[in-house]
Amino acid sequence: MTERRIRLEVQRYRPETDSEPTWESYDVPAREDWVVLDALNYIKDHLDGTLSYRWSCRMAVCGSCGMMVNGKPVLACKAFLRDYPETVRVAPMANLAVHRDLIGDMETFATRLPTVKPFLIPEVEPPQEDVFRQQSSELAVYRQFTMCINCLLCYAACPQVGLNENYLGPSILALAHRYNRDSRDGGRAEREEVTASEDGIWECTFVGECSEVCPKGVDPAGAIQQMKLASSLDWISRPLKRGDKS
């Protein structure tokens, strides 16, 4: 049986020397069980050792091999070549600056993430003889948001990230919501100062592509809409609270 081969067109770019990105084509095997990451590793090992990309676990856990494959953001370790035509185009993730070839810039995300305080802020200390306990129903409220692996596929799919470079973006907001919905947490008001600011939840136009491309089944679009509702209710209730005090 003749081994199927495909043409992998890979975007190459070295910002320090190149004026603009270029495309380079490679003829690679397309074995039945190979994913795009296998094809890139084949190029790296046998055809062109200068190709740069990021990967680690190969199990869709670390989130480091996100890239655009035929125009869609995917994890290269989950994208089987058998699902693609004879020519496959691979590019760095959209809406991110490029360090080199397929390596996107994660620094902006890493800098902004702490601003929403993605950690528990308890209102009260746990009982000394015990720890904070939760019912399974309380865990179910936020569990899906704990599955985020920070791969940033949602940023590559989000049109608002492309339009507003200051927008916090789907993953950061979903991670903030994960703690807002945690029954042990009391920090929603602190996070809302950032999440409901000019570049927060109200920039989202609910296109929903962030949730469509998430490899872990997280629903950032849903999280943002829930945060909009909570923020609106907070805004409505503020005059009432002020009235109670007076």
Side-chain angles (χ1 to χ4, degrees):
M1 183 176 177
T2 304
E3 181 181 75
R4 178 178 178 243
R5 301 186 71 86
I6 63 171
R7 184 174 65 180
L8 211 67
E9 296 181 347
V10 183
Q11 185 169 307
R12 306 297 305 270
Y13 184 45
R14 299 180 184 184
E16 67 275 15
T17 58
D18 300 339
S19 59
E20 61 182 18
T22 59
W23 292 90
E24 197 155 341
S25 296
Y26 305 92
D27 180 65
V28 299
R31 297 171 188 164
E32 181 67 14
D33 59 344
W34 272 23
V35 293
V36 170
L37 180 59
D38 291 313
L40 293 173
N41 286 341
Y42 180 88
I43 294 171
K44 184 81 172 179
D45 293 341
H46 301 284
L47 304 177
D48 187 347
T50 68
L51 179 62
S52 297
Y53 50 100
R54 184 188 290 126
W55 68 282
S56 181
C57 74
R58 295 181 59 95
M59 297 186 294
V61 174
C62 73
S64 61
C65 66
M67 53 191 70
M68 307 296 290
V69 178
N70 282 0
K72 293 185 178 180
V74 298
L75 294 180
C77 69
K78 284 191 70 176
F80 282 93
L81 293 176
R82 61 177 181 250
D83 297 329
Y84 290 94
E86 299 301 316
T87 299
V88 180
R89 291 203 124 194
V90 184
M93 283 207 292
N95 301 331
L96 298 180
V98 177
H99 279 309
R100 181 168 177 172
D101 294 339
L102 303 176
I103 300 175
D105 182 8
M106 307 282 283
E107 186 173 349
T108 300
F109 171 81
T111 301
R112 290 177 180 166
L113 178 58
T115 65
V116 301
K117 302 184 178 180
F119 44 80
L120 284 177
I121 305 176
E123 282 187 304
V124 296
E125 294 295 323
Q128 291 185 354
E129 71 281 6
D130 202 352
V131 295
F132 281 126
R133 295 181 182 275
Q134 285 187 314
Q135 301 294 324
S136 56
S137 58
E138 294 173 313
L139 172 63
V141 169
Y142 67 87
R143 185 177 182 281
Q144 65 140 316
F145 303 115
T146 70
M147 304 301 288
C148 176
I149 57 175
N150 299 334
C151 64
L152 303 194
L153 299 191
C154 55
Y155 282 70
C158 175
Q160 285 303 110
V161 172
L163 292 171
N164 179 1
E165 63 179 10
N166 295 318
Y167 176 42
L168 287 171
S171 178
I172 288 178
L173 292 170
L175 285 167
H177 193 56
R178 172 255 178 272
Y179 290 95
N180 287 345
R181 299 303 307 276
D182 193 316
S183 61
R184 301 165 296 180
D185 184 79
R188 186 168 69 84
E190 292 183 40
R191 295 187 193 95
E192 199 169 69
E193 293 178 5
V194 177
T195 60
S197 65
E198 183 178 356
D199 297 312
I201 53 178
W202 302 108
E203 278 294 284
C204 172
T205 53
F206 200 26
V207 172
E209 281 298 307
C210 55
S211 300
E212 290 292 325
V213 302
C214 179
K216 308 304 287 186
V218 181
D219 182 11
I224 293 170
Q225 306 321 304
Q226 291 175 26
M227 295 172 79
K228 286 181 179 178
L229 176 59
S231 179
S232 299
L233 293 175
D234 287 345
W235 184 81
I236 293 171
S237 66
R238 280 170 192 152
L240 296 176
K241 290 179 179 177
R242 286 197 294 271
D244 291 342
K245 290 179 181 177
S246 64

